[in-house]
């Protein structure tokens, strides 16, 4: 059976990026580093061409393509976080490593890759059969930068934030 593996394009930083990504969460590791067999547009012979790694158990590939490519929000890496502590940890690590905050739980890492750092509770709130509560949670989320589980829960429950 075929598997789909997202491939992230980097100029020359594929190995650095993959090492940083696997530091973010459990069940993440570098699987293989493939080096260039000969000089080519992606680098000199012996330099890193491809890094295969897992991020939270999901297989990805980082490719040194040899030229800068821009990422868009059309493709992002979504991290479903267990709780606020995991949201805070990943958020802080991406920012400390040169990332920048965006809105509604989105970050850009130093290479421009878009990340959605989302607490699992957010999905539960939005999927609720109580559509009024789901709407309140969505409206609260739209005002946030980093998602705050307790503030989302309060909005969902119809309580004003303290």
């Amino acid at each position: 059976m075929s598997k789909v593996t997202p491939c992230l394009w980097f100029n020359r930083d594929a190995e650095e990026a993959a090492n940083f990504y696997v530091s973010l969460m459990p069940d993440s590791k570098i699987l293989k580093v493939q080096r260039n067999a000969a000089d080519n547009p992606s680098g000199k012979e012996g330099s890193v061409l491809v890094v295969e790694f897992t991020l939270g158990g999901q297989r990805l590939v980082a490719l040194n393509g040899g030229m800068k490519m821009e990422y868009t929000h059309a493709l992002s890496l979504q991290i479903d976080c267990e709780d606020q502590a995991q949201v805070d940890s990943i958020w802080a690590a991406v920012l400390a490593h040169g990332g920048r905050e965006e809105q509604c739980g989105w970050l850009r890492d130093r290479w421009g890759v878009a990340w959605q750092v989302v607490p699992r509770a957010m999905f539960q709130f939005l999927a609720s059969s109580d559509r009024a509560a789901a709407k309140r949670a969505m409206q609260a989320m739209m005002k946030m930068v980093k998602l705050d589980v307790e503030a989302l829960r309060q909005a969902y429950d119809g309580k004003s934030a303290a």
Side-chain angles (χ1 to χ4, degrees), residues 5-150:
T5 303
C7 178
L8 302 172
W9 181 292
F10 298 89
N11 184 7
R12 301 261 187 257
D13 297 340
E15 188 170 28
E16 180 184 353
N19 280 317
F20 172 64
Y21 296 160
V22 302
S23 76
L24 292 174
M25 57 192 315
D27 197 17
S28 303
K29 64 183 175 182
I30 301 294
L31 300 173
K32 180 180 176 183
V33 177
Q34 179 183 336
R35 301 198 173 271
N36 279 307
D39 291 355
N40 64 63
S42 68
K44 299 283 186 192
E45 180 178 339
S47 65
V48 173
L49 176 62
V50 173
V51 180
E52 296 177 32
F53 64 103
T54 60
L55 181 60
Q58 169 65 49
R59 187 171 175 271
L60 294 107
V61 172
L63 167 71
N64 278 329
M67 69 173 126
K68 181 138 176 77
M69 299 295 271
E70 298 297 324
Y71 290 99
T72 72
H73 284 99
L75 179 70
S76 62
L77 300 178
Q78 179 177 301
I79 299 180
D80 301 334
C81 297
E82 291 292 326
D83 53 25
Q84 189 68 49
Q86 189 177 27
V87 169
D88 293 346
S89 173
I90 292 170
W91 195 270
V94 172
L95 291 180
H97 202 261
R100 67 182 188 278
E101 295 176 314
E102 294 187 347
Q103 194 164 344
C104 303
W106 290 68
L107 290 166
R108 290 269 181 178
D109 67 24
R110 65 178 276 194
W111 297 280
V113 175
W115 294 75
Q116 298 176 61
V117 183
V118 184
R120 189 157 292 142
M122 182 71 210
F123 299 112
Q124 295 165 348
F125 298 148
L126 296 181
S128 172
S129 60
D130 182 341
R131 300 317 302 155
K135 181 178 178 178
R136 289 190 303 270
M138 174 63 90
Q139 289 170 334
M141 188 254 330
M142 295 300 292
K143 296 175 186 171
M144 295 179 183
V145 177
K146 178 176 71 173
L147 300 184
D148 179 324
V149 175
E150 186 54 33

